[in-house]
Structures are given as structure tokens and as C-alpha cells.
């Protein structure tokens, strides 16, 4: 299984911090933000990763990360997203890199206390379809929210005014090679973007989506408030822990 880290976007919710750099290069406690999703993949046994980035600071990722040797990677590849077409649009750029194999996708501003090793093993055994990771949150309306019936995800709604559960779909996804066929068929949402929620709903419609609940804390770092929370959480407990 290969890994894809999505680190594009303009980071407008973090202005003025992002006037001069990509948000994923901002510090979270003692490391650049981008280190955390890469380590999430490494801890799940992934040794080949593609970084999808964009904007005016794309070259800074190469200066910072080089060939990924610091993380023990076999290959760290890079690709560039023109404009802001959404998460699913960014994911499409990884099709040739995936080479018809399974992928684990992590959003570049997602941090976790623990690891996804068990979920990765479960998806390797699952072999086809998709798997998402959920986490109970206080403000689900900020995220994609699953409608659950027993052990089944019936649908996922993006940033709903009236959430059907208290769970958020975290920015960690496992997909088989069919994901690229799905992204090619997507239509832009009302926001003018190709939504990852629509990708997940396509897998739900074909009965091929499984889910697990993530252990330990999880946060994004895409707003001033969540960036502060991420710094505090990492300072208190550390992140990307194999045991906790």
C-alpha cells in the first residue's frame, strides 16, 4: 500500500500566518505540520509516499523533506495541484503513482495521538473498497458527518447544519484503485470543488465502505483555534505514538 499526503490549498483560514508560506509548513509544537501525516503513514508500514501540494511555496517542501530519507522512506514523490479544486481533485493527481494498487490518503493538516496500524492491516485484509476512520467530536458540523445505522454507514453529509451523529470523518482514508474511476465521474459541489465526501458516498452506494473509530485524540490544524489546540495536544502527550 502506498501513501498520499494532500498538502495543497491556500490556507486562507490561517491568514495572516499563510501569507508567506503553505499552512502545512507551519510549526506544530516542535516540528513542521507536514511531518505528522507523513509519520502517520510510516507508522502504518507505508514506505512510498506522494505529496500533493500547490500554491507559491511548493518548492519549500522539497527543501524541507528532500527524498524522505529522514523518515526511512523508499520514495518520496511530489506533484503539483493547480488552483483549488478540492480534496478529490488533488487525489486524482496520484493515479499514476498508485499504479493500480491500494492507497492510504492523509490530509496534510491532520494529526493523531496514536497510529493507524490496525486499520491499515484491516484494510490490507479487506483488499477492495474503502475504509474511513471516525472520531467523536464536539463540533461535527465542521466536518463530514456519517449517518450510522448499527454498524453501517448509510451516508456522509459534508458540514451539515444538523448533524446526524456526533462523529466526524477524519482526514484519513483507505481506497482501492477504483477511487480514481470514481473521482473522474465526480461533479463539482456548490463550493465549486470535487468533494472527498462524494467519493466516500460512492463507496457506500456500492456497499464497499467499512469504518473504524480512531483511538486517542485527533485534530485538524486548519484554523487558528485548531492550530493552537494541535500545538497544545502535541506538547502534552506527543503525537504518532505506537503505544499510548
Amino acid at each position: 500500500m502506498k501513501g498520499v499526503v494532500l498538502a495543497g490549498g491556500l490556507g486562507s483560514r490561517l491568514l495572516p500566518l499563510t501569507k508567506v508560506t503553505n499552512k502545512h509548513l507551519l510549526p506544530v509544537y516542535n516540528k513542521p505540520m507536514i511531518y505528522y501525516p507523513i509519520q502517520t503513514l510510516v507508522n502504518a508500514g507505508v514506505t512510498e509516499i506522494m505529496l500533493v501540494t500547490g500554491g507559491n511555496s511548493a518548492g519549500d517542501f522539497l527543501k524541507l523533506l528532500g527524498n524522505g530519507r529522514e523518515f526511512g522512506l523508499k520514495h518520496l514523490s511530489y506533484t503539483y495541484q493547480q488552483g483549488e479544486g478540492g480534496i478529490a481533485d488533488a487525489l486524482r493527481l496520484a493515479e499514476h503513482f498508485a499504479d493500480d494498487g491500494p492507497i492510504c490518503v492523509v490530509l496534510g493538516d491532520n494529526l493523531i495521538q496514536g497510529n493507524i496500524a490496525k486499520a491499515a492491516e484491516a484494510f490490507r485484509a479487506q483488499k477492495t473498497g474503502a475504509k474511513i476512520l471516525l472520531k467523536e467530536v464536539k463540533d461535527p458540523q465542521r466536518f463530514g458527518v456519517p449517518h450510522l445505522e448499527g454498524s453501517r454507514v448509510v451516508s456522509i453529509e459534508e458540514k451539515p447544519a444538523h448533524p446526524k451523529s456526533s462523529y466526524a470523518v477524519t482526514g484519513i482514508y483507505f481506497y482501492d484503485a477504483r477511487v480514481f474511476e470514481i473521482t473522474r465521474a465526480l461533479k463539482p459541489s456548490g463550493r465549486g470543488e470535487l468533494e472527498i465526501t462524494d467519493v466516500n458516498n460512492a463507496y457506500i452506494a456500492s456497499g464497499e465502505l467499512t469504518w473504524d473509530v480512531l483511538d486517542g485524540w485527533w485534530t485538524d490544524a486548519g484554523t487558528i483555534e485548531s492550530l493552537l489546540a494541535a500545538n497544545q495536544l502535541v506538547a502534552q502527550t506527543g503525537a504518532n505514538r505506537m503505544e499510548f
Side-chain angles (χ1 to χ4, degrees), residues 95-183:
E95 181 169 2
H96 293 299
F97 171 75
D99 196 25
D100 291 326
I103 55 171
C104 179
V105 181
V106 183
L107 302 190
D109 64 354
N110 272 231
L111 290 83
I112 59 174
Q113 181 180 4
N115 62 82
I116 58 167
K118 281 184 186 173
E121 279 307 304
F123 185 68
R124 288 183 180 106
Q126 182 179 321
K127 292 184 179 174
T128 61
K131 178 181 281 292
I132 59 174
L133 296 178
L134 307 180
K135 191 66 186 174
E136 200 159 11
V137 295
K138 294 176 183 174
D139 50 356
Q141 64 277 3
R142 282 184 56 215
F143 307 102
V145 177
H147 178 196
L148 299 171
E149 285 185 1
S151 62
R152 194 166 66 94
V153 179
V154 177
S155 63
I156 299 170
E157 194 176 358
E158 186 64 27
K159 298 180 176 61
H162 305 288
K164 290 188 169 69
S165 73
S166 58
Y167 286 97
V169 178
T170 70
I172 304 170
Y173 318 95
F174 298 90
Y175 298 118
D176 65 7
R178 195 168 75 86
V179 69
F180 300 107
E181 177 188 325
I182 292 170
T183 58

Side-chain angles (χ1 to χ4, degrees), residues 14-214:
L14 282 168
L15 286 169
L17 300 179
T18 46
K19 263 191 172 182
V20 293
T21 192
N22 183 294
K23 76 172 178 182
H24 306 94
L25 297 170
L26 294 172
V28 176
Y29 189 49
N30 60 347
K31 295 174 187 172
M33 190 189 300
I34 194 65
Y35 276 43
Y36 296 94
I38 292 175
Q39 195 63 52
T40 294
L41 289 167
V42 169
N43 288 354
V46 175
T47 60
E48 296 179 69
I49 294 174
M50 171 166 274
L51 182 74
V52 182
T53 186
N56 298 324
S57 305
D60 292 341
F61 285 97
L62 185 59
K63 284 191 272 186
L64 176 67
L65 301 168
N67 60 9
R69 187 176 300 155
E70 185 179 343
F71 295 91
L73 295 174
K74 279 186 192 172
H75 299 290
L76 178 57
S77 303
Y78 300 85
T79 191
Y80 187 87
Q81 181 186 21
Q82 299 279 356
E84 284 206 272
I87 294 169
D89 178 61
L91 177 56
R92 293 200 292 190
L93 298 171
E95 181 169 2
H96 293 299
F97 171 75
D99 196 25
D100 291 326
I103 55 171
C104 179
V105 181
V106 183
L107 302 190
D109 64 354
N110 272 231
L111 290 83
I112 59 174
Q113 181 180 4
N115 62 82
I116 58 167
K118 281 184 186 173
E121 279 307 304
F123 185 68
R124 288 183 180 106
Q126 182 179 321
K127 292 184 179 174
T128 61
K131 178 181 281 292
I132 59 174
L133 296 178
L134 307 180
K135 191 66 186 174
E136 200 159 11
V137 295
K138 294 176 183 174
D139 50 356
Q141 64 277 3
R142 282 184 56 215
F143 307 102
V145 177
H147 178 196
L148 299 171
E149 285 185 1
S151 62
R152 194 166 66 94
V153 179
V154 177
S155 63
I156 299 170
E157 194 176 358
E158 186 64 27
K159 298 180 176 61
H162 305 288
K164 290 188 169 69
S165 73
S166 58
Y167 286 97
V169 178
T170 70
I172 304 170
Y173 318 95
F174 298 90
Y175 298 118
D176 65 7
R178 195 168 75 86
V179 69
F180 300 107
E181 177 188 325
I182 292 170
T183 58
R184 281 194 293 274
L186 289 182
K187 300 286 191 292
S189 68
R191 300 193 301 167
E193 297 186 358
L194 300 184
E195 304 284 357
I196 201 72
T197 291
D198 292 338
V199 172
N200 294 330
N201 278 325
Y203 277 107
I204 292 169
S206 61
E208 294 182 289
L209 183 132
T210 64
W211 60 278
D212 290 325
V213 175
L214 192 63

